[in-house]
Amino acid sequence: MFYGTVVWDPWLIVAQIVCLQCLYYLTLAVFLSILVGTRVSRMSLAYFFDFATVSASTVTGWCVIASLLSGAVAGAGYLVFLIERAKKCLDFSATLYFIHLFICIIYGGWPSTITWWVVNGTGVAVMALLGEYLCIRRELREIPITRYRSNV
């Protein structure tokens, strides 16, 4: 991984966005299955994309909130391995949540609850800031240099 001249590669960027989005939804599915699946009789896409399920007034709604925020934490981990650069974390996090907003609008209409906006805004912040922190920690690791001694 060399950080010299950056070549703009749109196919790489699109592939990174698609991979990050897929990993986010797979992780979200796991968290929703664990936290919400035990509380409801039937899982549906509404827990992924309907703003009405993100509610602070029910225990199931809190489970959805916990799943969304856990997905954001996992997404920060994915940024470390897929994106690898701290300065790109905010861009990819915002893109992921913008695509999520678009899918939510198509599925259930414009999100009209403040809870949905707070949870997803927090998710963007957690994913971007934690991703940047983890990427910076990775970028600042020492480069191992092996030294060979000659016994001459």
Side-chain angles (χ1 to χ4, degrees):
M1 163 168 65
F2 296 103
Y3 297 130
T5 59
V6 177
V7 177
W8 188 69
D9 187 5
W11 291 109
L12 175 65
I13 295 169
V14 169
Q16 287 173 325
I17 290 170
V18 169
C19 286
L20 188 62
Q21 200 82 32
C22 290
L23 286 171
Y24 173 76
Y25 284 128
L26 284 172
T27 306
L28 185 58
V30 169
F31 285 123
L32 284 172
S33 297
I34 293 169
L35 296 175
V36 177
T38 58
R39 302 197 51 78
V40 297
S41 61
R42 185 168 170 259
M43 286 292 294
S44 70
L45 286 178
Y47 295 104
F48 286 88
F49 304 120
D50 193 0
F51 66 90
T53 60
V54 182
S55 170
S57 60
T58 64
V59 177
T60 305
W62 277 105
C63 290
V64 173
I65 291 170
S67 298
L68 289 169
L69 294 178
S70 299
V73 171
Y78 298 142
L79 288 173
V80 175
F81 296 105
L82 287 176
I83 309 307
E84 297 179 337
R85 297 296 306 267
K87 68 179 188 175
K88 294 182 180 180
C89 286
L90 177 61
D91 298 336
F92 280 91
S93 299
T95 302
L96 182 136
Y97 277 91
F98 182 76
I99 293 170
H100 181 68
L101 171 65
F102 183 71
I103 295 171
C104 288
I105 290 171
I106 290 172
Y107 186 84
W110 183 260
S112 60
T113 61
I114 192 69
T115 308
W116 188 91
W117 288 102
V118 168
V119 168
N120 283 286
T122 305
V124 170
V126 165
M127 188 172 177
L129 293 174
L130 184 59
E132 284 181 16
Y133 173 76
L134 294 173
C135 285
I136 287 172
R137 297 265 312 194
R138 187 173 186 195
E139 289 173 3
L140 293 178
R141 283 191 312 202
E142 290 186 20
I143 299 172
I145 299 174
T146 58
R147 293 188 177 183
Y148 296 103
R149 285 188 174 169
S150 63
N151 293 331
V152 183

